[in-house]
Short mmCIF file of all heavy atoms in Angstrom, two decimals:
data_model
loop_
_atom_site.label_atom_id
_atom_site.label_comp_id
_atom_site.label_asym_id
_atom_site.label_seq_id
_atom_site.Cartn_x
_atom_site.Cartn_y
_atom_site.Cartn_z
N MET X 1 72.16 -63.72 -47.37
CA MET X 1 72.68 -62.40 -47.71
C MET X 1 72.50 -62.15 -49.21
O MET X 1 72.86 -62.99 -50.03
CB MET X 1 74.15 -62.34 -47.31
CG MET X 1 74.80 -61.02 -47.60
SD MET X 1 76.34 -60.90 -46.71
CE MET X 1 76.07 -59.43 -45.82
N PRO X 2 71.92 -60.99 -49.58
CA PRO X 2 71.70 -60.72 -51.00
C PRO X 2 73.02 -60.51 -51.75
O PRO X 2 74.02 -60.11 -51.17
CB PRO X 2 70.88 -59.44 -51.01
CG PRO X 2 70.86 -58.92 -49.63
CD PRO X 2 71.41 -59.97 -48.72
N ARG X 3 72.98 -60.81 -53.02
CA ARG X 3 74.16 -60.58 -53.86
C ARG X 3 74.42 -59.10 -54.01
O ARG X 3 73.50 -58.29 -53.98
CB ARG X 3 73.95 -61.20 -55.23
CG ARG X 3 73.96 -62.70 -55.20
CD ARG X 3 73.90 -63.20 -56.61
NE ARG X 3 73.84 -64.64 -56.58
CZ ARG X 3 73.79 -65.38 -57.66
NH1 ARG X 3 73.79 -64.82 -58.84
NH2 ARG X 3 73.75 -66.69 -57.57
N ARG X 4 75.66 -58.76 -54.23
CA ARG X 4 76.05 -57.36 -54.41
C ARG X 4 75.29 -56.74 -55.59
O ARG X 4 75.21 -57.32 -56.65
CB ARG X 4 77.55 -57.30 -54.65
CG ARG X 4 78.07 -55.91 -54.73
CD ARG X 4 79.55 -55.93 -54.93
NE ARG X 4 80.12 -55.13 -53.87
CZ ARG X 4 81.36 -55.15 -53.52
NH1 ARG X 4 82.19 -55.97 -54.11
NH2 ARG X 4 81.80 -54.38 -52.57
N GLY X 5 74.73 -55.57 -55.35
CA GLY X 5 74.02 -54.86 -56.41
C GLY X 5 72.55 -55.25 -56.53
O GLY X 5 71.82 -54.63 -57.27
N TRP X 6 72.11 -56.24 -55.79
CA TRP X 6 70.71 -56.66 -55.83
C TRP X 6 69.93 -55.93 -54.76
O TRP X 6 70.46 -55.57 -53.72
CB TRP X 6 70.58 -58.16 -55.60
CG TRP X 6 71.02 -59.01 -56.74
CD1 TRP X 6 71.94 -58.71 -57.70
CD2 TRP X 6 70.58 -60.33 -57.03
NE1 TRP X 6 72.09 -59.75 -58.56
CE2 TRP X 6 71.27 -60.77 -58.17
CE3 TRP X 6 69.68 -61.19 -56.43
CZ2 TRP X 6 71.07 -62.01 -58.73
CZ3 TRP X 6 69.49 -62.43 -56.98
CH2 TRP X 6 70.17 -62.83 -58.12
N LYS X 7 68.66 -55.72 -55.01
CA LYS X 7 67.77 -55.13 -54.01
C LYS X 7 66.61 -56.09 -53.77
O LYS X 7 66.13 -56.72 -54.70
CB LYS X 7 67.20 -53.80 -54.49
CG LYS X 7 68.21 -52.68 -54.55
CD LYS X 7 67.53 -51.39 -54.92
CE LYS X 7 68.52 -50.26 -54.95
NZ LYS X 7 67.88 -49.01 -55.30
N ALA X 8 66.18 -56.14 -52.54
CA ALA X 8 64.99 -56.92 -52.23
C ALA X 8 63.78 -56.22 -52.85
O ALA X 8 63.74 -55.00 -52.96
CB ALA X 8 64.81 -57.05 -50.72
N SER X 9 62.80 -56.99 -53.25
CA SER X 9 61.60 -56.43 -53.82
C SER X 9 60.96 -55.45 -52.83
O SER X 9 60.76 -55.78 -51.67
CB SER X 9 60.62 -57.56 -54.15
OG SER X 9 59.43 -57.02 -54.65
N GLY X 10 60.67 -54.25 -53.29
CA GLY X 10 60.04 -53.26 -52.43
C GLY X 10 60.99 -52.57 -51.48
O GLY X 10 60.57 -51.86 -50.59
N SER X 11 62.28 -52.76 -51.66
CA SER X 11 63.24 -52.24 -50.70
C SER X 11 63.31 -50.71 -50.67
O SER X 11 63.84 -50.14 -49.73
CB SER X 11 64.62 -52.81 -50.96
OG SER X 11 65.10 -52.38 -52.21
N THR X 12 62.79 -50.05 -51.68
CA THR X 12 62.82 -48.59 -51.68
C THR X 12 61.49 -47.99 -51.21
O THR X 12 61.36 -46.77 -51.16
CB THR X 12 63.16 -48.04 -53.09
OG1 THR X 12 62.15 -48.47 -54.00
CG2 THR X 12 64.53 -48.52 -53.54
N LEU X 13 60.56 -48.83 -50.86
CA LEU X 13 59.25 -48.37 -50.38
C LEU X 13 59.36 -48.03 -48.90
O LEU X 13 59.68 -48.88 -48.08
CB LEU X 13 58.19 -49.47 -50.58
CG LEU X 13 56.78 -49.13 -50.14
CD1 LEU X 13 56.20 -48.01 -51.00
CD2 LEU X 13 55.90 -50.37 -50.22
N THR X 14 59.10 -46.77 -48.56
CA THR X 14 59.16 -46.35 -47.16
C THR X 14 57.86 -46.70 -46.45
O THR X 14 56.82 -46.90 -47.09
CB THR X 14 59.39 -44.83 -47.07
OG1 THR X 14 58.30 -44.16 -47.71
CG2 THR X 14 60.72 -44.43 -47.71
N LEU X 15 57.92 -46.76 -45.13
CA LEU X 15 56.74 -47.13 -44.35
C LEU X 15 55.61 -46.13 -44.54
O LEU X 15 54.46 -46.51 -44.70
CB LEU X 15 57.11 -47.24 -42.87
CG LEU X 15 56.01 -47.71 -41.94
CD1 LEU X 15 55.58 -49.14 -42.28
CD2 LEU X 15 56.45 -47.63 -40.50
N ASP X 16 55.94 -44.84 -44.56
CA ASP X 16 54.87 -43.85 -44.73
C ASP X 16 54.25 -43.92 -46.12
O ASP X 16 53.03 -43.80 -46.26
CB ASP X 16 55.36 -42.43 -44.41
CG ASP X 16 56.51 -41.96 -45.27
OD1 ASP X 16 57.46 -42.73 -45.49
OD2 ASP X 16 56.46 -40.79 -45.73
N ARG X 17 55.05 -44.19 -47.13
CA ARG X 17 54.50 -44.33 -48.48
C ARG X 17 53.63 -45.59 -48.57
O ARG X 17 52.56 -45.58 -49.17
CB ARG X 17 55.61 -44.39 -49.52
CG ARG X 17 55.05 -44.47 -50.95
CD ARG X 17 56.12 -44.40 -52.00
NE ARG X 17 56.65 -43.05 -52.01
CZ ARG X 17 57.89 -42.74 -52.34
NH1 ARG X 17 58.75 -43.69 -52.67
NH2 ARG X 17 58.30 -41.50 -52.35
N ALA X 18 54.08 -46.67 -47.96
CA ALA X 18 53.28 -47.91 -47.94
C ALA X 18 51.95 -47.66 -47.24
O ALA X 18 50.90 -48.11 -47.70
CB ALA X 18 54.06 -49.02 -47.24
N LEU X 19 51.97 -46.92 -46.14
CA LEU X 19 50.74 -46.61 -45.41
C LEU X 19 49.79 -45.80 -46.30
O LEU X 19 48.59 -46.11 -46.38
CB LEU X 19 51.06 -45.85 -44.13
CG LEU X 19 49.88 -45.47 -43.27
CD1 LEU X 19 49.15 -46.71 -42.77
CD2 LEU X 19 50.32 -44.60 -42.10
N ARG X 20 50.30 -44.78 -46.96
CA ARG X 20 49.44 -43.99 -47.85
C ARG X 20 48.84 -44.86 -48.96
O ARG X 20 47.65 -44.74 -49.28
CB ARG X 20 50.24 -42.83 -48.46
CG ARG X 20 50.56 -41.73 -47.47
CD ARG X 20 51.10 -40.47 -48.13
NE ARG X 20 52.34 -40.67 -48.85
CZ ARG X 20 53.56 -40.58 -48.31
NH1 ARG X 20 53.70 -40.30 -47.03
NH2 ARG X 20 54.63 -40.76 -49.05
N ASN X 21 49.64 -45.77 -49.52
CA ASN X 21 49.14 -46.66 -50.57
C ASN X 21 48.02 -47.54 -50.08
O ASN X 21 46.99 -47.72 -50.75
CB ASN X 21 50.27 -47.53 -51.12
CG ASN X 21 51.30 -46.75 -51.91
OD1 ASN X 21 51.08 -45.62 -52.30
ND2 ASN X 21 52.45 -47.38 -52.14
N VAL X 22 48.19 -48.12 -48.90
CA VAL X 22 47.19 -49.04 -48.36
C VAL X 22 45.90 -48.28 -48.02
O VAL X 22 44.80 -48.75 -48.31
CB VAL X 22 47.76 -49.78 -47.12
CG1 VAL X 22 46.68 -50.58 -46.41
CG2 VAL X 22 48.89 -50.70 -47.53
N VAL X 23 46.03 -47.09 -47.44
CA VAL X 23 44.85 -46.28 -47.11
C VAL X 23 44.11 -45.88 -48.38
O VAL X 23 42.88 -45.87 -48.42
CB VAL X 23 45.25 -45.06 -46.25
CG1 VAL X 23 44.11 -44.08 -46.11
CG2 VAL X 23 45.73 -45.53 -44.87
N LYS X 24 44.85 -45.57 -49.46
CA LYS X 24 44.21 -45.23 -50.74
C LYS X 24 43.37 -46.38 -51.27
O LYS X 24 42.42 -46.17 -52.02
CB LYS X 24 45.26 -44.85 -51.79
CG LYS X 24 45.77 -43.45 -51.67
CD LYS X 24 46.74 -43.15 -52.81
CE LYS X 24 47.44 -41.85 -52.59
NZ LYS X 24 48.46 -41.60 -53.63
N LEU X 25 43.72 -47.60 -50.91
CA LEU X 25 42.95 -48.78 -51.33
C LEU X 25 41.65 -48.93 -50.56
O LEU X 25 40.85 -49.80 -50.85
CB LEU X 25 43.78 -50.05 -51.17
CG LEU X 25 44.99 -50.18 -52.09
CD1 LEU X 25 45.83 -51.39 -51.70
CD2 LEU X 25 44.53 -50.29 -53.54
N GLY X 26 41.44 -48.07 -49.55
CA GLY X 26 40.20 -48.10 -48.78
C GLY X 26 40.32 -48.83 -47.45
O GLY X 26 39.32 -48.99 -46.76
N ILE X 27 41.51 -49.24 -47.06
CA ILE X 27 41.70 -49.89 -45.77
C ILE X 27 41.64 -48.82 -44.69
O ILE X 27 42.32 -47.79 -44.81
CB ILE X 27 43.07 -50.62 -45.72
CG1 ILE X 27 43.22 -51.62 -46.86
CG2 ILE X 27 43.29 -51.28 -44.36
CD1 ILE X 27 42.24 -52.75 -46.86
N PRO X 28 40.85 -49.01 -43.63
CA PRO X 28 40.81 -48.02 -42.54
C PRO X 28 42.20 -47.81 -41.95
O PRO X 28 43.01 -48.75 -41.85
CB PRO X 28 39.86 -48.65 -41.52
CG PRO X 28 39.01 -49.60 -42.31
CD PRO X 28 39.91 -50.11 -43.41
N LEU X 29 42.49 -46.58 -41.54
CA LEU X 29 43.82 -46.21 -41.06
C LEU X 29 44.31 -47.13 -39.94
O LEU X 29 45.44 -47.60 -39.97
CB LEU X 29 43.84 -44.75 -40.61
CG LEU X 29 45.18 -44.23 -40.10
CD1 LEU X 29 46.26 -44.35 -41.17
CD2 LEU X 29 45.03 -42.79 -39.64
N ALA X 30 43.48 -47.39 -38.94
CA ALA X 30 43.91 -48.24 -37.82
C ALA X 30 44.31 -49.63 -38.31
O ALA X 30 45.31 -50.19 -37.85
CB ALA X 30 42.80 -48.34 -36.77
N ASN X 31 43.55 -50.19 -39.23
CA ASN X 31 43.88 -51.51 -39.78
C ASN X 31 45.16 -51.45 -40.60
O ASN X 31 45.99 -52.36 -40.54
CB ASN X 31 42.74 -52.04 -40.65
CG ASN X 31 41.50 -52.37 -39.86
OD1 ASN X 31 41.48 -52.29 -38.64
ND2 ASN X 31 40.44 -52.71 -40.56
N ALA X 32 45.33 -50.38 -41.38
CA ALA X 32 46.52 -50.23 -42.21
C ALA X 32 47.78 -50.13 -41.34
O ALA X 32 48.80 -50.75 -41.63
CB ALA X 32 46.39 -49.00 -43.10
N VAL X 33 47.70 -49.36 -40.26
CA VAL X 33 48.85 -49.23 -39.35
C VAL X 33 49.20 -50.59 -38.76
O VAL X 33 50.36 -50.98 -38.72
CB VAL X 33 48.56 -48.19 -38.24
CG1 VAL X 33 49.62 -48.26 -37.15
CG2 VAL X 33 48.49 -46.79 -38.84
N ARG X 34 48.20 -51.34 -38.33
CA ARG X 34 48.44 -52.68 -37.78
C ARG X 34 49.07 -53.59 -38.83
O ARG X 34 49.99 -54.35 -38.54
CB ARG X 34 47.12 -53.28 -37.29
CG ARG X 34 47.28 -54.52 -36.46
CD ARG X 34 45.96 -55.03 -35.88
NE ARG X 34 45.22 -53.99 -35.18
CZ ARG X 34 44.07 -53.45 -35.63
NH1 ARG X 34 43.52 -53.84 -36.75
NH2 ARG X 34 43.48 -52.50 -34.93
N MET X 35 48.61 -53.50 -40.07
CA MET X 35 49.14 -54.33 -41.16
C MET X 35 50.63 -54.06 -41.39
O MET X 35 51.37 -54.97 -41.77
CB MET X 35 48.39 -54.05 -42.47
CG MET X 35 46.98 -54.57 -42.50
SD MET X 35 46.05 -53.95 -43.93
CE MET X 35 47.02 -54.55 -45.29
N LEU X 36 51.06 -52.82 -41.16
CA LEU X 36 52.43 -52.43 -41.46
C LEU X 36 53.35 -52.44 -40.24
O LEU X 36 54.55 -52.22 -40.39
CB LEU X 36 52.44 -51.03 -42.08
CG LEU X 36 51.74 -50.95 -43.43
CD1 LEU X 36 51.56 -49.50 -43.84
CD2 LEU X 36 52.52 -51.71 -44.48
N THR X 37 52.80 -52.68 -39.06
CA THR X 37 53.61 -52.63 -37.85
C THR X 37 53.51 -53.91 -37.03
O THR X 37 54.42 -54.73 -37.04
CB THR X 37 53.23 -51.41 -36.99
OG1 THR X 37 51.82 -51.49 -36.66
CG2 THR X 37 53.50 -50.10 -37.70
N LEU X 38 52.41 -54.09 -36.35
CA LEU X 38 52.26 -55.23 -35.45
C LEU X 38 52.23 -56.57 -36.18
O LEU X 38 52.87 -57.53 -35.74
CB LEU X 38 51.00 -55.07 -34.59
CG LEU X 38 50.78 -56.17 -33.55
CD1 LEU X 38 51.96 -56.29 -32.60
CD2 LEU X 38 49.49 -55.93 -32.79
N ASN X 39 51.52 -56.65 -37.29
CA ASN X 39 51.44 -57.94 -38.00
C ASN X 39 52.81 -58.46 -38.44
O ASN X 39 53.14 -59.61 -38.16
CB ASN X 39 50.47 -57.85 -39.18
CG ASN X 39 49.03 -57.72 -38.74
OD1 ASN X 39 48.71 -57.72 -37.56
ND2 ASN X 39 48.14 -57.57 -39.70
N PRO X 40 53.65 -57.64 -39.12
CA PRO X 40 54.97 -58.16 -39.49
C PRO X 40 55.84 -58.48 -38.27
O PRO X 40 56.57 -59.47 -38.27
CB PRO X 40 55.60 -57.02 -40.31
CG PRO X 40 54.48 -56.14 -40.70
CD PRO X 40 53.40 -56.33 -39.70
N ALA X 41 55.75 -57.64 -37.24
CA ALA X 41 56.53 -57.91 -36.03
C ALA X 41 56.12 -59.25 -35.41
O ALA X 41 56.97 -60.02 -34.94
CB ALA X 41 56.35 -56.78 -35.02
N THR X 42 54.83 -59.54 -35.42
CA THR X 42 54.33 -60.80 -34.87
C THR X 42 54.83 -61.98 -35.69
O THR X 42 55.28 -62.99 -35.14
CB THR X 42 52.79 -60.79 -34.81
OG1 THR X 42 52.38 -59.70 -33.98
CG2 THR X 42 52.24 -62.08 -34.25
N ILE X 43 54.77 -61.87 -37.00
CA ILE X 43 55.25 -62.95 -37.88
C ILE X 43 56.73 -63.23 -37.61
O ILE X 43 57.16 -64.38 -37.62
CB ILE X 43 55.02 -62.58 -39.36
CG1 ILE X 43 53.53 -62.63 -39.66
CG2 ILE X 43 55.80 -63.50 -40.29
CD1 ILE X 43 53.14 -62.02 -40.99
N LEU X 44 57.50 -62.18 -37.32
CA LEU X 44 58.93 -62.33 -37.07
C LEU X 44 59.24 -62.68 -35.61
O LEU X 44 60.40 -62.84 -35.25
CB LEU X 44 59.67 -61.05 -37.45
CG LEU X 44 59.65 -60.71 -38.94
CD1 LEU X 44 60.21 -59.32 -39.18
CD2 LEU X 44 60.42 -61.75 -39.74
N GLY X 45 58.21 -62.78 -34.78
CA GLY X 45 58.41 -63.11 -33.37
C GLY X 45 58.99 -61.96 -32.57
O GLY X 45 59.62 -62.18 -31.53
N MET X 46 58.75 -60.74 -33.03
CA MET X 46 59.32 -59.55 -32.38
C MET X 46 58.25 -58.63 -31.80
O MET X 46 58.51 -57.48 -31.49
CB MET X 46 60.14 -58.75 -33.41
CG MET X 46 61.27 -59.53 -34.04
SD MET X 46 62.03 -58.64 -35.42
CE MET X 46 62.69 -57.21 -34.57
N GLU X 47 57.04 -59.14 -31.62
CA GLU X 47 55.92 -58.29 -31.24
C GLU X 47 56.04 -57.65 -29.86
O GLU X 47 55.32 -56.71 -29.55
CB GLU X 47 54.59 -59.05 -31.35
CG GLU X 47 54.43 -60.17 -30.35
CD GLU X 47 54.97 -61.51 -30.81
OE1 GLU X 47 55.80 -61.56 -31.74
OE2 GLU X 47 54.57 -62.52 -30.24
N PHE X 48 56.95 -58.13 -29.03
CA PHE X 48 57.13 -57.51 -27.72
C PHE X 48 58.19 -56.41 -27.73
O PHE X 48 58.34 -55.69 -26.77
CB PHE X 48 57.45 -58.58 -26.66
CG PHE X 48 56.31 -59.54 -26.49
CD1 PHE X 48 56.39 -60.82 -27.00
CD2 PHE X 48 55.14 -59.15 -25.86
CE1 PHE X 48 55.33 -61.71 -26.87
CE2 PHE X 48 54.07 -60.02 -25.73
CZ PHE X 48 54.16 -61.30 -26.23
N LYS X 49 58.92 -56.27 -28.84
CA LYS X 49 59.93 -55.22 -28.98
C LYS X 49 59.59 -54.23 -30.09
O LYS X 49 60.01 -53.09 -30.05
CB LYS X 49 61.30 -55.84 -29.28
CG LYS X 49 61.86 -56.70 -28.17
CD LYS X 49 62.08 -55.93 -26.90
CE LYS X 49 63.42 -55.26 -26.90
NZ LYS X 49 63.64 -54.43 -25.72
N LYS X 50 58.87 -54.67 -31.11
CA LYS X 50 58.56 -53.85 -32.29
C LYS X 50 57.06 -53.93 -32.59
O LYS X 50 56.38 -54.86 -32.20
CB LYS X 50 59.32 -54.36 -33.52
CG LYS X 50 60.82 -54.39 -33.38
CD LYS X 50 61.38 -53.01 -33.45
CE LYS X 50 62.91 -53.05 -33.44
NZ LYS X 50 63.48 -51.73 -33.36
N GLY X 51 56.56 -52.94 -33.30
CA GLY X 51 55.20 -53.01 -33.83
C GLY X 51 54.10 -52.52 -32.91
O GLY X 51 52.94 -52.49 -33.30
N ALA X 52 54.43 -52.13 -31.69
CA ALA X 52 53.40 -51.65 -30.77
C ALA X 52 54.04 -50.74 -29.72
O ALA X 52 55.24 -50.82 -29.47
CB ALA X 52 52.72 -52.83 -30.08
N LEU X 53 53.22 -49.89 -29.15
CA LEU X 53 53.67 -49.05 -28.04
C LEU X 53 53.30 -49.75 -26.75
O LEU X 53 52.12 -49.89 -26.43
CB LEU X 53 53.01 -47.67 -28.11
CG LEU X 53 53.36 -46.82 -29.31
CD1 LEU X 53 52.55 -45.53 -29.31
CD2 LEU X 53 54.85 -46.52 -29.35
N ARG X 54 54.28 -50.24 -26.03
CA ARG X 54 54.04 -50.92 -24.77
C ARG X 54 55.30 -50.87 -23.91
O ARG X 54 56.39 -50.65 -24.43
CB ARG X 54 53.62 -52.37 -25.01
CG ARG X 54 54.73 -53.23 -25.61
CD ARG X 54 54.33 -54.66 -25.78
NE ARG X 54 53.47 -54.68 -26.96
CZ ARG X 54 52.88 -55.75 -27.44
NH1 ARG X 54 53.04 -56.88 -26.88
NH2 ARG X 54 52.13 -55.69 -28.49
N THR X 55 55.15 -51.10 -22.64
CA THR X 55 56.28 -51.14 -21.72
C THR X 55 57.27 -52.21 -22.18
O THR X 55 56.88 -53.34 -22.48
CB THR X 55 55.80 -51.45 -20.30
OG1 THR X 55 54.88 -50.45 -19.90
CG2 THR X 55 56.97 -51.50 -19.32
N GLY X 56 58.54 -51.83 -22.27
CA GLY X 56 59.58 -52.77 -22.67
C GLY X 56 59.87 -52.82 -24.16
O GLY X 56 60.85 -53.40 -24.58
N ALA X 57 59.00 -52.19 -24.96
CA ALA X 57 59.23 -52.15 -26.41
C ALA X 57 60.29 -51.10 -26.73
O ALA X 57 60.68 -50.30 -25.88
CB ALA X 57 57.94 -51.86 -27.16
N ASP X 58 60.77 -51.09 -27.97
CA ASP X 58 61.89 -50.22 -28.36
C ASP X 58 61.54 -48.74 -28.47
O ASP X 58 62.43 -47.91 -28.55
CB ASP X 58 62.47 -50.69 -29.70
CG ASP X 58 63.28 -51.97 -29.54
OD1 ASP X 58 63.62 -52.34 -28.40
OD2 ASP X 58 63.57 -52.59 -30.57
N ALA X 59 60.29 -48.37 -28.49
CA ALA X 59 59.85 -46.97 -28.57
C ALA X 59 60.34 -46.30 -29.85
O ALA X 59 60.84 -45.18 -29.84
CB ALA X 59 60.27 -46.18 -27.33
N ASP X 60 60.22 -47.00 -30.98
CA ASP X 60 60.48 -46.41 -32.29
C ASP X 60 59.13 -45.90 -32.80
O ASP X 60 58.20 -46.70 -32.99
CB ASP X 60 61.04 -47.45 -33.25
CG ASP X 60 62.38 -48.01 -32.79
OD1 ASP X 60 63.11 -47.29 -32.08
OD2 ASP X 60 62.69 -49.15 -33.15
N VAL X 61 59.01 -44.59 -32.98
CA VAL X 61 57.71 -43.98 -33.26
C VAL X 61 57.83 -42.97 -34.39
O VAL X 61 58.83 -42.24 -34.47
CB VAL X 61 57.16 -43.27 -32.00
CG1 VAL X 61 55.82 -42.62 -32.28
CG2 VAL X 61 57.07 -44.22 -30.83
N LEU X 62 56.82 -42.93 -35.25
CA LEU X 62 56.70 -41.90 -36.29
C LEU X 62 55.48 -41.05 -35.98
O LEU X 62 54.43 -41.57 -35.63
CB LEU X 62 56.47 -42.53 -37.67
CG LEU X 62 57.55 -43.39 -38.27
CD1 LEU X 62 57.07 -43.98 -39.59
CD2 LEU X 62 58.82 -42.59 -38.48
N LEU X 63 55.61 -39.75 -36.11
CA LEU X 63 54.48 -38.85 -36.02
C LEU X 63 54.14 -38.45 -37.45
O LEU X 63 55.01 -37.98 -38.19
CB LEU X 63 54.81 -37.62 -35.17
CG LEU X 63 53.70 -36.58 -35.03
CD1 LEU X 63 52.50 -37.19 -34.30
CD2 LEU X 63 54.22 -35.36 -34.30
N LEU X 64 52.88 -38.64 -37.85
CA LEU X 64 52.44 -38.34 -39.21
C LEU X 64 51.46 -37.18 -39.19
O LEU X 64 50.69 -37.02 -38.24
CB LEU X 64 51.76 -39.56 -39.82
CG LEU X 64 52.57 -40.86 -39.83
CD1 LEU X 64 51.71 -42.02 -40.28
CD2 LEU X 64 53.79 -40.72 -40.71
N ASN X 65 51.44 -36.39 -40.26
CA ASN X 65 50.45 -35.34 -40.39
C ASN X 65 49.18 -35.91 -41.04
O ASN X 65 49.10 -37.12 -41.29
CB ASN X 65 51.01 -34.14 -41.15
CG ASN X 65 51.41 -34.47 -42.58
OD1 ASN X 65 51.00 -35.47 -43.16
ND2 ASN X 65 52.24 -33.61 -43.16
N GLU X 66 48.22 -35.05 -41.34
CA GLU X 66 46.95 -35.51 -41.93
C GLU X 66 47.14 -36.18 -43.28
O GLU X 66 46.35 -37.02 -43.70
CB GLU X 66 45.96 -34.35 -42.06
CG GLU X 66 45.48 -33.78 -40.75
CD GLU X 66 46.45 -32.75 -40.16
OE1 GLU X 66 47.36 -32.26 -40.88
OE2 GLU X 66 46.31 -32.44 -38.97
N ALA X 67 48.21 -35.81 -44.00
CA ALA X 67 48.50 -36.40 -45.31
C ALA X 67 49.33 -37.68 -45.17
O ALA X 67 49.78 -38.23 -46.17
CB ALA X 67 49.24 -35.39 -46.18
N LEU X 68 49.51 -38.14 -43.93
CA LEU X 68 50.28 -39.35 -43.62
C LEU X 68 51.74 -39.23 -44.05
O LEU X 68 52.36 -40.19 -44.48
CB LEU X 68 49.62 -40.60 -44.22
CG LEU X 68 48.17 -40.85 -43.79
CD1 LEU X 68 47.61 -42.09 -44.47
CD2 LEU X 68 48.07 -40.97 -42.28
N GLN X 69 52.28 -38.04 -43.88
CA GLN X 69 53.70 -37.80 -44.14
C GLN X 69 54.41 -37.63 -42.81
O GLN X 69 53.86 -37.05 -41.86
CB GLN X 69 53.88 -36.55 -45.00
CG GLN X 69 53.28 -36.73 -46.38
CD GLN X 69 53.28 -35.44 -47.17
OE1 GLN X 69 53.24 -34.35 -46.62
NE2 GLN X 69 53.31 -35.57 -48.49
N VAL X 70 55.63 -38.12 -42.73
CA VAL X 70 56.39 -38.10 -41.48
C VAL X 70 56.74 -36.66 -41.10
O VAL X 70 57.26 -35.89 -41.91
CB VAL X 70 57.69 -38.92 -41.62
CG1 VAL X 70 58.54 -38.82 -40.37
CG2 VAL X 70 57.37 -40.37 -41.93
N THR X 71 56.42 -36.30 -39.85
CA THR X 71 56.78 -34.98 -39.35
C THR X 71 57.81 -35.06 -38.22
O THR X 71 58.50 -34.08 -37.94
CB THR X 71 55.54 -34.21 -38.85
OG1 THR X 71 54.92 -34.95 -37.80
CG2 THR X 71 54.56 -33.98 -39.98
N ARG X 72 57.90 -36.21 -37.56
CA ARG X 72 58.87 -36.39 -36.48
C ARG X 72 59.12 -37.88 -36.27
O ARG X 72 58.24 -38.70 -36.52
CB ARG X 72 58.32 -35.77 -35.20
CG ARG X 72 59.36 -35.55 -34.14
CD ARG X 72 58.89 -34.52 -33.16
NE ARG X 72 59.84 -34.43 -32.07
CZ ARG X 72 59.58 -33.91 -30.91
NH1 ARG X 72 58.39 -33.40 -30.67
NH2 ARG X 72 60.48 -33.86 -29.97
N VAL X 73 60.34 -38.21 -35.80
CA VAL X 73 60.73 -39.60 -35.61
C VAL X 73 61.41 -39.75 -34.25
O VAL X 73 62.18 -38.89 -33.84
CB VAL X 73 61.74 -40.06 -36.70
CG1 VAL X 73 62.23 -41.47 -36.46
CG2 VAL X 73 61.11 -39.93 -38.08
N TRP X 74 61.09 -40.84 -33.56
CA TRP X 74 61.77 -41.20 -32.33
C TRP X 74 62.36 -42.59 -32.52
O TRP X 74 61.66 -43.51 -32.94
CB TRP X 74 60.82 -41.25 -31.14
CG TRP X 74 60.31 -39.94 -30.68
CD1 TRP X 74 60.80 -39.17 -29.67
CD2 TRP X 74 59.16 -39.22 -31.18
NE1 TRP X 74 60.06 -38.03 -29.52
CE2 TRP X 74 59.04 -38.04 -30.43
CE3 TRP X 74 58.23 -39.47 -32.19
CZ2 TRP X 74 58.03 -37.12 -30.66
CZ3 TRP X 74 57.23 -38.56 -32.42
CH2 TRP X 74 57.14 -37.40 -31.66
N ASN X 75 63.65 -42.75 -32.22
CA ASN X 75 64.32 -44.05 -32.21
C ASN X 75 64.69 -44.35 -30.77
O ASN X 75 65.40 -43.55 -30.15
CB ASN X 75 65.58 -44.05 -33.09
CG ASN X 75 65.25 -44.09 -34.54
OD1 ASN X 75 64.33 -44.78 -34.95
ND2 ASN X 75 65.98 -43.34 -35.34
N ALA X 76 64.22 -45.49 -30.27
CA ALA X 76 64.47 -45.88 -28.87
C ALA X 76 64.04 -44.75 -27.92
O ALA X 76 64.68 -44.50 -26.92
CB ALA X 76 65.93 -46.26 -28.67
N GLY X 77 62.95 -44.08 -28.29
CA GLY X 77 62.41 -43.01 -27.45
C GLY X 77 63.12 -41.68 -27.56
O GLY X 77 62.77 -40.73 -26.86
N ILE X 78 64.11 -41.56 -28.44
CA ILE X 78 64.87 -40.32 -28.60
C ILE X 78 64.49 -39.66 -29.92
O ILE X 78 64.57 -40.29 -30.98
CB ILE X 78 66.38 -40.60 -28.56
CG1 ILE X 78 66.75 -41.22 -27.19
CG2 ILE X 78 67.18 -39.34 -28.81
CD1 ILE X 78 68.15 -41.74 -27.12
N SER X 79 64.07 -38.42 -29.84
CA SER X 79 63.68 -37.68 -31.04
C SER X 79 64.88 -37.41 -31.92
O SER X 79 65.96 -37.09 -31.44
CB SER X 79 63.04 -36.35 -30.63
OG SER X 79 62.64 -35.63 -31.77
N SER X 80 64.69 -37.62 -33.22
CA SER X 80 65.78 -37.35 -34.15
C SER X 80 65.34 -36.42 -35.26
O SER X 80 64.21 -36.11 -35.41
CB SER X 80 66.31 -38.64 -34.74
OG SER X 80 65.28 -39.41 -35.33
#
């Protein structure tokens, strides 16, 4: 547990901002999405619940526009 008042490195970086940063580096969009979703979920042993769209997964989804900005969010398949 972190100490009071401390932040983890990168804790203010949002997923959409991270995606835009990685794409700006020249990484193809499909690879960048995998780097930010499925790869971390796999490392954490959560790849069957997080990081991919599949039967039995949590259905947490972001819809992005052409500028890779969030336009809609679903948590557990429910739009918010």
